């Protein structure tokens, strides 16, 4: 998940500790934990193609409001300033006349020395197993060069996903997306916008995914190989608190 977000969310994360002892019957708190052979976000490795351990806590209300926090180890270079990603988010989701919707705010927090925290606002609509999602850059602490624009809406990610049940409860998923904008280029270390795709199958917490991009060569990324097809195995579990 690089569902991530962050300031008001800090208050949400802190207050969730209090919710554990006095939750009304129409709300729930759950936790998740997992491990993956490669942390892939929007087609690109976030761990130099190495393994990641991940986990988070989520709060959901019957009104559709939700909030949560999630973390993972990350690594983009042998001598970079990144070691973790800590996300915070909140939003509202629901369904009306067979149309599902989800919109919210997402903050990605990294090591202070990296100076590259950023936030997105996102919205998604779906019908059946098909969903369309748009994520828009909201703000960032990163400094932009004179010829770059990190303003609101200047970077976007749009994706189309389809999932269906196969093979006795296994879930088969298909994904395509497109990431573009000055901030997307600089954060990802690529030139220009790029498309990514993925096919996955999951059951009982286990998942296997094949992902790729249309990048011919993402530059000086010998340890990233973001122009190559990647195969990822992961396991995750959820439990109530």
């Amino acid at each position: 998940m690089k569902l991530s977000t962050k300031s008001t969310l800090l208050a949400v994360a802190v207050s969730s500790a209090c919710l554990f002892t006095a939750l009304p019957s129409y709300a729930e708190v759950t936790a998740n934990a997992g491990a993956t052979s490669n942390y892939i976000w929007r087609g690109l490795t976030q761990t130099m193609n190495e393994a990641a351990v991940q986990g988070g806590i989520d709060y959901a209300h019957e009104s559709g409001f939700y909030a949560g926090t999630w973390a993972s180890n990350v690594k983009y270079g042998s001598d970079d300033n990144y070691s973790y990603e800590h996300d915070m988010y909140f939003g509202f989701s629901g369904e009306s006349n067979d149309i599902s919707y989800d919109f919210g705010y997402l903050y990605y927090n990294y090591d202070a020395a990296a100076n590259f925290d950023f936030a997105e606002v996102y919205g998604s609509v779906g019908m059946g197993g098909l969903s369309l999602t748009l994520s828009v850059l909201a703000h960032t602490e990163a400094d932009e060069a004179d010829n770059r624009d990190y303003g609101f809406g200047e970077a976007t990610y749009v994706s189309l996903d389809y999932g269906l049940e196969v093979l006795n409860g296994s879930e088969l998923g298909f994904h395509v997306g497109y990431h573009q904008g000055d901030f997307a280029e600089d954060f990802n270390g690529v030139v220009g916008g790029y498309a990514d795709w993925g096919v996955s199958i999951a059951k009982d917490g286990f998942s296997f995914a094949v992902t790729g991009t249309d990048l011919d060569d993402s530059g000086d990324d010998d340890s990233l190989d973001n122009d190559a097809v990647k195969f990822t195995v992961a396991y995750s579990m959820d439990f109530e608190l």
Side-chain angles (χ1 to χ4, degrees):
M1 154 182 161
K2 218 175 170 179
L3 228 191
S4 307
T5 343
K6 306 162 179 179
S7 161
T8 303
L9 296 175
L10 287 173
V12 172
V14 172
S15 64
S16 64
C18 303
L19 294 171
F20 297 159
T21 57
L23 280 174
S25 59
Y26 49 80
E28 71 172 359
V29 174
T30 59
N32 61 85
T36 177
S37 61
N38 193 354
Y39 175 13
I40 302 294
W41 180 69
R42 299 178 180 175
L44 309 181
T45 180
Q46 307 296 292
T47 51
M48 296 179 66
N49 297 305
E50 297 176 356
V53 176
Q54 306 167 333
I57 297 175
D58 292 283
Y59 166 79
H61 190 274
E62 68 174 3
S63 65
F65 173 80
Y66 63 88
T69 183
W70 181 86
S72 175
N73 57 289
V74 297
K75 186 178 183 182
Y76 303 105
S78 58
D79 58 351
D80 65 17
N81 292 318
Y82 295 86
S83 65
Y84 69 85
E85 174 193 332
H86 174 219
D87 302 344
M88 292 174 284
Y89 46 90
F90 63 85
F92 191 87
S93 64
E95 186 172 346
S96 177
N97 298 323
D98 297 326
I99 302 296
S100 60
Y101 56 87
D102 182 8
F103 58 88
Y105 172 89
L106 188 54
Y107 188 89
Y108 302 80
N109 173 46
Y110 301 94
D111 305 67
N115 192 40
F116 237 101
D117 288 7
F118 68 98
E120 295 178 329
V121 291
Y122 58 88
S124 176
V125 293
M127 175 179 285
L130 186 67
S131 64
L132 176 67
T133 304
L134 174 65
S135 298
V136 176
L137 177 67
H139 57 86
T140 177
E141 69 172 1
D143 297 324
E144 60 188 22
D146 291 340
N147 62 338
R148 311 300 279 170
D149 191 346
Y150 293 173
F152 181 88
E154 293 299 327
T156 60
Y157 181 72
V158 61
S159 62
L160 185 67
D161 294 87
Y162 181 71
L164 70 160
E165 186 174 311
V166 297
L167 300 175
N168 299 319
S170 297
E171 297 178 4
L172 180 64
F174 300 91
H175 163 88
V176 291
Y178 188 77
H179 206 188
Q180 66 84 35
D182 289 347
F183 180 82
E185 292 181 30
D186 295 345
F187 179 80
N188 293 320
V190 301
V191 178
Y194 72 94
D196 73 287
W197 58 268
V199 179
S200 64
I201 189 164
K203 184 177 182 180
D204 299 331
F206 291 95
S207 63
F208 172 74
V210 182
T211 61
T213 72
D214 67 348
L215 293 167
D216 293 328
D217 186 352
S218 50
D220 185 16
D221 72 340
D222 292 340
S223 299
L224 303 178
D225 292 328
N226 281 320
D227 54 336
V229 174
K230 300 180 185 298
F231 302 87
T232 303
V233 178
Y235 176 74
S236 64
M237 56 184 176
D238 300 309
F239 45 93
E240 294 185 3
L241 297 176

